[in-house]
Amino acid sequence: MKDDAGVTREQRVEALGGMGCKRKRVEDARFTQGKGNYVDDIKMPGMLFGDFVRSPYAHARIKSIDTSAALALDGVVAVLTADDLRPLGLHWMPTLAGDKQMVLADGKVLFQGQEVAYVVAKDRYIAADAVELIDVDYEELPVIVDPFESMKSDTVLREDLVAEDGSLPDGAHGPRKHHNHIFTWEVGEKEATSQVIDSAQVVAEETMYYHRTHPCPLETCGCVASMDKVNGKLTLYGTFQAPHAIRTVVSLISGIEEHNIRVISPDIGGGFGNKVGAYPGYVCSVVASIVTGVPVKWVEDRMENLMTTAFARDYWMKGKISATPEGKITGLWCEVTADHGGFDACADPTKFPAGFMNICTGSYDIPTAYLAVDGVYTNKAPGGVSYRCSFRVTEAVYFIERMIEVLAIEMNMDAAELRRINFIKKEQFPYQSALGWEYDSGDYHTAWDKALKAVDYEGLRTEQAQRVEDFKTGKTRKLMGVGLSFFTEIVGAGPVKNCDILGLGMFDSCEIRIHPTGSAIARLGTISQGQGHATTFAQILASEIGLPADSITIEEGDTDTAPYGLGTYGSRSTPVAGAATAMAGRKIRAKAQMIAAYLLEVHDDDVEFDVDRFVVKGAPEKFKTMKEIAFAAYNQAIPGIEPGLEAVSYYDPPNMTYPFGAYICVMDIDVDTGEVDIRRFYALDDCGTRINPMIIEGQVHGGLTEALAVALGQEIAYDDMGNVKTGTLMDFFLPTAWEVPNYETDHTVTPSPHHPIGAKGVGESPHVGGVPCFSNAVNDAFRAFGLRHTHMPHDHWRIWKTANKLGLHG
Amino acid sequence: MSKKMHIQLTVNGEAQEFLAEPRELLIHTLRERLNITGPHIGCETSHCGACTVTLNGKSVKSCTVFVAQADGAEITTIEGLGNPDKLHVLQEAFKEHHGLQCGFCTPGMITRASKLLEENPSPTEEEVRFGMAGNICRCTGYQNIVKSILAAAAEMSASKEAAE
Ligand code: FES
Ligand code: FES
């Protein structure tokens, strides 16, 4: 159909650049020209630099701190210690997990690298010189780096959590069993599950360690605090994934009223969970700026980033899974010992001390299950963030996808077939899981069959069997592994009724203003760290309000202008803020409909929305474009309608969304060197409605690469003395272009029934599904030689040791 | 603090002259003294390549060069590769093929790639992957970076042929 200008409907749709098209990113012009504006690019007149004295010991008492030589150095403006912060009540700060954390060492240190004193100087070189001049007298204390030891040890790590009479007051998540214990969190049916497992004909058991690692975005954490003493306003620029939450926290701990604080997240050089929390550097910079009256910048270096800001994982998981002789799973048991380090600074919604670990029944219809998580203090850095995943979902998915493989070995079954017979069926959605979730939608069988067919799964198994033969007869020294994983993510936290952080409900928001000439600005409570929000949110809006994406500016990250929102992590931007955007767009459309009806001189119900305009029903030649309507909103007095065209929406999601996917990895392993060669990686993702396929694909490549890193070598390792052994990029594995394969991406589309546009979120799925896929491939390569399970990370040395233990070195 | 040295540099075609402590790192000279903030700091230990510049015709990680060592040098940063009216072919290619996400590695990536394509105007995928291995990206998984560089190489040789 053509309208009067000879433009087809398809052309009008295309001109919008709305949902589903591969719109090029609007962010890229400035980034490719070196004109991004990251925290360390910010310069202000008179700005000073902060730097930390950090503890070389993992556990020690501080006997004295001598700052005199540092203060005498030309260019040093101030040195802060806990004694300076105490009168302000800022020597400790609340953590996101309901614990508290020292801002500067208050009499003792609990992990290597802990902040002891904060130097403020004219430039970063003088600050670094001053750090060297500060003399701290430490008395070493026994170090605990193992959570199981910790639960038995007489050594008290947190004296502040033991009452004077020696009793243990409850923690933020209930009773504590030991002075180094933080919480126990139980979900599911303990008795029933143990009965099912005890009486089952088939049971597989395994203990797996999901090692400690770190999100390590390319840009480290940092901030610039600027207290304007004349008007009493504090401006805080920083690497914040949740700027509004940071503003509220700063207000609560500093006593500055929230309207006098402006938090700005400028461009962020990757986050992956590392930039969710509040760090001592932020607090000290704010205090230093208040004290000195000038702006203070603090940017950590890479070693500080890896050693002290939020780590991820560090879960010991003990599992039991039972099945009928035909392979139908009947019960799942999971016991976790979680190492939280010196303070509990996990970033999880308040009611979920172990995040959404209770998604650990995975994509399977498991009738009975039980999960218990114990959080434990040790002498390691605090953290426990979700590294490119929704809260602890990576751990959960790794657990179930390894348990499935172990069960397949136990039953001598094909692991793909075992998955298939246990998948939740399409007609079972919405599905109530044994551990309390309501999965929104899914079609697992279709996705699985598509994936297996795409890689010729049968053919791969035949080739693998031949390879084993060849290996045994000495024709090759390379084994072949086929890694499978089928994951269900749980993202988009979340419904305010059960999800909050520090009491703040986890809704999100969008505010739209349409300008008279038919362009617009939309502001959101989230913040992009590379996800391309300025591109994709404009696409959602373009489809909703019929103005071209190119005419819509998206702005985020400034608390003075953006509506309140909980930020970007846990793949929540699309499920929550994306929904808010669509809903705000619909409010605009509702008003536009009334304006259009007035202009067309018909009843409101007699016009309908069509791509970029409202048309009179049955008379498509009579219409008003959104551009015309926008102009009318500002230049005509319309009876009963306020001037202007603006809307705001705060979206409280009714449920989480549950993206899923099927991944298959084929790798060759050199038994003599432990090297792996990833021959093929196929990734099928179902993230519901697809907003921008180009960006989805980019997210999948990135997430898979971070998964490859974690599975094949990346870790934060400690020695017995609590020294961090992987504090630089020399030791901490970040894959380069040389180590990374090309990935094949694919998709199915199962929209979320409760999301306004059916989108589920995708940024983290590839990491969640990728880690078990790589790990399963390594384990699978050795299955024929009797291996059941070996812990990650599968670096060359560890793989060589596995081969050696299996007697494959002759 | 040691005695200051007299330093002369040419950065993106512009002569610069100043006094600096010899220990000042070139990346700080660029970013803080000269306000050239395209090159970034990701590690300060020569591993990530975010600080990559071209120094006297070679790709160099400016975080591990003292300004004293760079005295007299010709330096090109991302700011010197293209301008808003005429982007470098690589800048266009990275936009076109989604070769960036957070953008933090991008200036170093493109600067390095520009040198790589000078040294080897028609590289294979393997040569690109090897030649870019000094630059880390945490976001993209490299696939689209490699694609962007190969596309730029093709584009550059096509326009060279057309010119001949
Ligand atoms: S900052 Fe120079 S290589 Fe990382
Ligand atoms: S785009 Fe973020 S590090 Fe490369």
Side-chain angles (χ1 to χ4, degrees):
Chain A
M1 187 180 75
K2 294 206 168 192
D3 70 16
D4 35 331
V7 180
T8 64
R9 191 172 189 277
E10 289 68 35
Q11 285 167 329
R12 289 193 281 126
V13 170
E14 207 183 304
L16 285 184
M19 278 197 292
C21 82
K22 295 188 178 186
R23 181 176 190 227
K24 302 291 178 230
R25 303 201 330 161
V26 296
E27 295 87 345
D28 291 356
R30 66 176 195 282
F31 290 150
T32 52
Q33 295 179 73
K35 297 293 181 212
N37 186 34
Y38 303 89
V39 163
D40 203 10
D41 298 339
I42 292 166
K43 260 194 172 178
M44 299 176 91
M47 189 172 76
L48 302 172
F49 285 82
D51 202 351
F52 280 110
V53 175
R54 295 182 178 276
S55 170
Y57 300 109
H59 195 199
R61 219 164 281 297
I62 294 186
K63 289 162 68 185
S64 65
I65 303 176
D66 182 356
T67 61
S68 53
L71 283 167
L73 185 69
D74 198 23
V76 173
V77 178
V79 178
L80 300 176
T81 65
D83 287 342
D84 301 305
L85 299 180
R86 187 170 294 110
L88 307 166
L90 291 176
H91 53 316
W92 289 72
M93 62 178 184
T95 70
L96 294 178
D99 193 3
K100 55 187 180 140
Q101 174 178 354
M102 292 178 214
V103 172
L104 290 171
D106 184 18
K108 74 183 290 194
V109 289
L110 283 159
F111 63 94
Q112 188 183 48
Q114 189 179 328
E115 299 78 4
V116 174
Y118 183 76
V119 173
V120 187
K122 290 219 159 103
D123 71 36
R124 55 178 95 212
Y125 289 77
I126 299 172
D129 289 343
V131 165
E132 296 296 311
L133 292 173
I134 291 173
D135 194 17
V136 185
D137 193 7
Y138 297 95
E139 177 190 312
E140 287 184 66
L141 296 169
V143 172
I144 309 173
V145 291
D146 177 299
F148 300 101
E149 294 282 307
S150 189
M151 284 293 285
K152 289 183 280 181
S153 174
D154 292 338
T155 301
V156 179
L157 297 178
R158 294 284 300 274
E159 287 91 346
D160 62 297
L161 300 179
V162 179
E164 271 178 26
D165 63 1
S167 66
L168 295 175
D170 281 4
H173 307 291
R176 297 161 58 221
K177 299 191 265 210
H178 179 269
H179 49 250
N180 295 334
H181 179 243
I182 310 172
F183 63 81
T184 300
W185 186 53
E186 288 179 281
V187 194
E189 308 271 341
K190 188 174 184 178
E191 283 308 308
T193 309
S194 90
Q195 269 174 24
V196 166
I197 292 177
D198 288 347
S199 59
Q201 283 177 275
V202 186
V203 179
E205 291 185 39
E206 194 52 70
T207 298
M208 51 193 90
Y209 179 47
Y210 200 147
H211 59 289
R212 181 176 277 234
T213 182
H214 193 282
C216 193
L218 198 57
E219 175 203 37
T220 59
C221 301
C223 69
V224 180
S226 176
M227 183 72 205
D228 180 337
K229 291 204 172 175
V230 176
N231 61 24
K233 296 232 181 224
L234 171 72
T235 305
L236 181 62
Y237 297 86
T239 46
F240 309 133
Q241 288 182 233
H244 283 97
I246 291 280
R247 184 184 72 188
T248 302
V249 171
V250 170
S251 176
L252 289 174
I253 67 178
S254 70
I256 303 173
E257 278 195 85
E258 218 166 338
H259 74 105
N260 278 329
I261 302 172
R262 179 179 185 189
V263 174
I264 300 175
S265 296
D267 287 327
I268 295 186
F272 316 124
N274 188 223
K275 294 166 180 170
V276 172
Y279 296 121
Y282 305 155
V283 179
C284 289
S285 305
V286 168
V287 172
S289 182
I290 293 174
V291 171
T292 60
V294 290
V296 177
K297 178 189 275 188
W298 166 75
V299 176
E300 61 180 4
D301 66 25
R302 178 56 61 195
M303 199 180 247
E304 293 177 296
N305 176 253
L306 288 173
M307 286 174 66
T308 70
T309 55
F311 74 92
R313 323 287 152 83
D314 215 345
Y315 262 29
W316 282 94
M317 304 183 280
K318 222 172 122 184
K320 287 187 213 168
I321 189 164
S322 60
T324 65
E326 296 73 40
K328 187 82 194 67
I329 300 170
T330 54
L332 180 72
W333 181 279
C334 179
E335 258 176 77
V336 180
T337 302
D339 184 340
H340 287 228
F343 306 97
D344 186 11
C346 276
D348 291 314
T350 307
K351 296 191 186 98
F352 299 87
F356 303 156
M357 183 64 200
N358 53 330
I359 193 77
C360 65
T361 52
S363 315
Y364 311 105
D365 184 14
I366 302 180
T368 325
Y370 170 72
L371 164 72
V373 183
D374 280 295
V376 180
Y377 290 119
T378 62
N379 291 121
K380 296 183 186 173
V385 290
S386 317
Y387 168 9
R388 203 168 186 147
C389 65
S390 192
F391 314 97
R392 300 289 188 183
V393 176
T394 315
E395 289 88 327
V397 170
Y398 177 73
F399 170 78
I400 184 67
E401 288 304 289
R402 284 298 306 139
M403 288 308 291
I404 288 280
E405 295 281 318
V406 171
L407 180 62
I409 293 172
E410 181 75 33
M411 303 191 68
N412 198 21
M413 256 183 92
D414 176 76
E417 184 55 21
L418 181 58
R419 282 179 174 84
R420 184 203 310 277
I421 59 181
N422 285 289
F423 281 143
I424 300 162
K425 293 187 194 75
K426 191 177 168 191
E427 56 276 16
Q428 284 175 285
F429 292 92
Y431 173 80
Q432 297 291 335
S433 81
L435 294 179
W437 297 114
E438 185 184 298
Y439 293 29
D440 60 351
S441 63
D443 183 354
Y444 299 165
H445 288 92
T446 301
W448 196 228
D449 290 342
K450 188 171 180 187
L452 296 179
K453 190 154 170 259
V455 298
D456 179 19
Y457 180 70
E458 295 298 318
L460 286 174
R461 287 298 181 199
T462 313
E463 185 189 347
Q464 186 185 36
Q466 184 59 47
R467 185 72 72 83
V468 169
E469 279 318 302
D470 290 350
F471 183 86
K472 286 181 176 159
T473 55
K475 283 196 205 127
T476 179
R477 295 296 292 161
K478 287 191 180 169
L479 294 177
M480 176 178 159
V482 181
L484 306 176
S485 121
F486 195 101
F487 66 91
T488 297
E489 253 263 70
I490 169 169
V491 306
V496 172
K497 63 178 188 293
N498 59 11
C499 287
D500 72 276
I501 287 187
L502 294 174
L504 304 167
M506 296 182 75
F507 58 83
D508 227 291
S509 57
C510 174
E511 181 195 282
I512 305 169
R513 289 183 191 178
I514 311 291
H515 308 314
T517 50
S519 65
I521 183 164
R523 298 190 170 97
L524 293 98
T526 44
I527 176 73
S528 186
Q529 306 128 42
Q531 297 91 336
H533 289 176
T535 307
T536 50
F537 285 135
Q539 288 181 259
I540 297 178
L541 265 188
S543 294
E544 291 291 342
I545 64 176
L547 293 173
D550 287 343
S551 301
I552 302 169
T553 296
I554 300 290
E555 203 180 85
E556 302 175 299
D558 181 342
T559 58
D560 261 13
T561 56
Y564 206 100
L566 266 273
T568 295
Y569 44 85
S571 282
R572 61 187 302 282
S573 296
T574 297
V576 192
T581 305
M583 296 312 270
R586 286 172 198 182
K587 288 186 187 175
I588 295 278
R589 216 161 75 186
K591 184 167 177 184
Q593 178 164 7
M594 294 193 280
I595 298 172
Y598 171 80
L599 297 174
L600 292 163
E601 296 175 17
V602 293
H603 189 271
D604 289 357
D605 294 339
D606 294 333
V607 291
E608 62 188 354
F609 186 69
D610 180 48
V611 186
D612 56 354
R613 62 192 57 187
F614 276 94
V615 299
V616 176
K617 283 182 190 165
E621 71 287 354
K622 287 194 191 141
F623 63 87
K624 287 289 167 189
T625 63
M626 282 302 288
K627 239 177 129 121
E628 292 169 316
I629 294 167
F631 200 64
Y634 289 89
N635 83 342
Q636 294 206 19
I638 303 172
I641 299 179
E642 283 179 19
L645 195 50
E646 297 188 6
V648 55
S649 168
Y650 281 76
Y651 186 77
D652 177 8
N655 189 4
M656 312 280 185
T657 59
Y658 298 76
F660 59 92
Y663 293 174
I664 297 169
C665 170
V666 185
M667 67 167 64
D668 286 333
I669 295 183
D670 186 320
V671 169
D672 299 314
T673 64
E675 281 173 285
V676 303
D677 176 22
I678 298 154
R679 271 164 47 188
R680 187 161 187 197
F681 199 105
Y682 168 90
L684 178 149
D685 274 278
D686 191 321
C687 58
T689 304
R690 293 157 61 83
I691 300 167
N692 183 327
M694 175 191 84
I695 287 185
I696 291 173
E697 204 173 87
Q699 291 288 317
V700 173
H701 295 164
L704 287 175
T705 303
E706 290 191 340
L708 179 154
V710 170
L712 301 184
Q714 184 180 88
E715 68 178 319
I716 295 289
Y718 287 82
D719 70 9
D720 292 346
M721 300 294 292
N723 296 306
V724 179
K725 296 197 289 180
T726 52
T728 72
L729 298 190
M730 178 74 128
D731 319 286
F732 184 80
F733 175 50
L734 297 183
T736 69
W738 187 244
E739 285 111 358
V740 173
N742 280 313
Y743 306 103
E744 296 163 53
T745 52
D746 204 346
H747 64 274
T748 54
V749 178
T750 313
S752 168
H754 62 77
H755 187 280
I757 57 170
K760 290 187 168 187
V762 74
E764 298 165 333
S765 293
H767 190 73
V768 167
V771 175
C773 191
F774 286 110
S775 181
N776 282 347
V778 172
N779 279 283
D780 181 69
F782 296 103
R783 177 173 169 176
F785 301 90
L787 182 70
R788 262 171 85 94
H789 173 79
T790 177
H791 299 317
M792 294 188 294
H794 307 295
D795 55 28
H796 302 170
W797 166 231
R798 285 178 171 105
I799 291 181
W800 183 91
K801 280 199 294 187
T802 299
N804 195 262
K805 244 198 247 152
L806 294 171
L808 303 184
H809 292 148
Chain B
M1 229 187 286
S2 49
K3 231 178 97 218
K4 293 198 170 172
M5 279 181 71
H6 177 227
I7 308 278
Q8 287 181 301
L9 301 173
T10 307
V11 186
N12 299 329
E14 243 179 79
Q16 303 284 356
E17 203 173 340
F18 49 88
L19 291 177
E21 283 186 59
R23 68 168 176 174
E24 184 171 300
L25 295 171
L26 182 58
I27 185 72
H28 291 140
T29 308
L30 294 171
R31 292 179 47 80
E32 300 197 353
R33 191 181 283 282
L34 305 177
N35 284 323
I36 295 172
T37 54
H40 295 137
I41 300 173
C43 69
E44 290 175 296
T45 52
S46 281
H47 289 100
C48 77
C51 62
T52 303
V53 301
T54 307
L55 186 143
N56 292 335
K58 288 204 167 70
S59 290
V60 161
K61 292 172 176 172
S62 62
C63 69
T64 18
V65 175
F66 291 121
V67 69
Q69 296 171 284
D71 190 20
E74 290 249 2
I75 296 169
T76 308
T77 69
I78 185 77
E79 286 89 345
L81 283 183
N83 60 55
D85 299 326
K86 179 140 187 43
L87 291 184
H88 189 279
V89 180
L90 277 159
Q91 289 169 320
E92 288 287 3
F94 270 64
K95 280 170 62 181
E96 184 62 29
H97 300 283
H98 193 24
L100 64 150
Q101 289 178 25
C102 80
F104 201 75
C105 71
T106 313
M109 279 291 171
I110 293 182
T111 308
R112 168 60 197 142
S114 71
K115 199 67 226 161
L116 176 75
L117 294 188
E118 260 176 61
E119 290 158 359
N120 182 357
S122 41
T124 61
E125 178 182 337
E126 204 173 38
E127 285 166 343
V128 169
R129 286 186 176 270
F130 189 75
M132 296 301 297
N135 289 67
I136 286 173
C137 175
R138 291 289 291 141
C139 301
T140 64
Y142 304 104
Q143 194 156 328
N144 289 343
I145 289 180
V146 173
K147 203 166 153 193
S148 305
I149 296 172
L150 289 171
E155 166 81 33
M156 281 156 93
S157 40
S159 52
K160 209 172 139 210
E161 261 168 43
E164 272 162 14

